[in-house]
Structures are given as structure tokens and as C-alpha cells.
Amino acid sequence: FPSHDKYKARDALTAARRSGLLVTSETCEHCGVTGVRIEGHHWSYEPEHWLDVIWLCTECHGKEHKRLNELGRDPDKQPKEEK
């Protein structure tokens, strides 16, 4: 299940964008596409990094999560504890 901090990070980013503190890029930082939906990708859901994002198109955002999943670095997929 997604971490509680993931939702808080998303809410903090949305509030920062609405207030003008952060401005969404119009260009994907991975592929350079413009004119499509651009999303903020969090490297960490720790509170001190809630506004540290890179701007990716939906396609690159999905690819980045897949890449991180394959590396075992997705905060939503914590390793199960050994018993």
C-alpha cells in the first residue's frame, strides 16, 4: 500500500503549485516533449524532500517508477521483514 508520506508529498506539491511557490515545467526533463501533461516525480517521500521533484511527462514518469521498482527503490514496495 502507498505510504502516508506519499500522499502528503503530493498534497504539498499541489499546494506549492497553486500558491505559485513552484511552477510546473512545460517540458519533460527526460524526453523533452512539450504540449502534454507534465507531472512532478518525487525522489523521496521524506518530508524534507516534498518539494524536490523533477518534471516528467506521464509516459516517462511511469517508466521511471518501473525502473526504480526493478532496482528495488520504490518507497511503496518496501522489502518484507525476515521472520
Side-chain angles (χ1 to χ4, degrees):
F1 293 98
S3 70
H4 187 62
D5 282 342
K6 178 178 182 175
Y7 296 114
K8 286 185 175 183
R10 188 183 316 164
D11 290 346
L13 180 60
T14 298
R17 291 166 72 185
R18 285 186 179 150
S19 73
L21 182 64
L22 281 180
V23 177
T24 304
S25 175
E26 294 182 10
T27 304
C28 175
E29 292 184 37
H30 275 192
C31 71
V33 70
T34 59
V36 299
R37 178 184 166 104
I38 302 293
E39 305 169 341
H41 172 72
H42 292 90
W43 290 108
S44 169
Y45 297 129
E46 295 295 320
E48 63 269 21
H49 298 292
W50 284 350
L51 300 183
D52 297 335
V53 297
I54 60 170
W55 301 104
L56 303 174
C57 67
T58 303
E59 184 176 342
C60 286
H61 197 179
K63 287 178 182 178
E64 183 62 13
H65 276 276
K66 181 178 180 186
R67 184 184 75 81
L68 292 174
N69 288 346
E70 290 170 354
L71 293 174
R73 294 181 50 201
D74 188 331
D76 291 339
K77 296 193 179 225
Q78 297 295 328
K80 294 182 181 177
E81 292 183 30
E82 298 282 329
K83 292 186 179 182

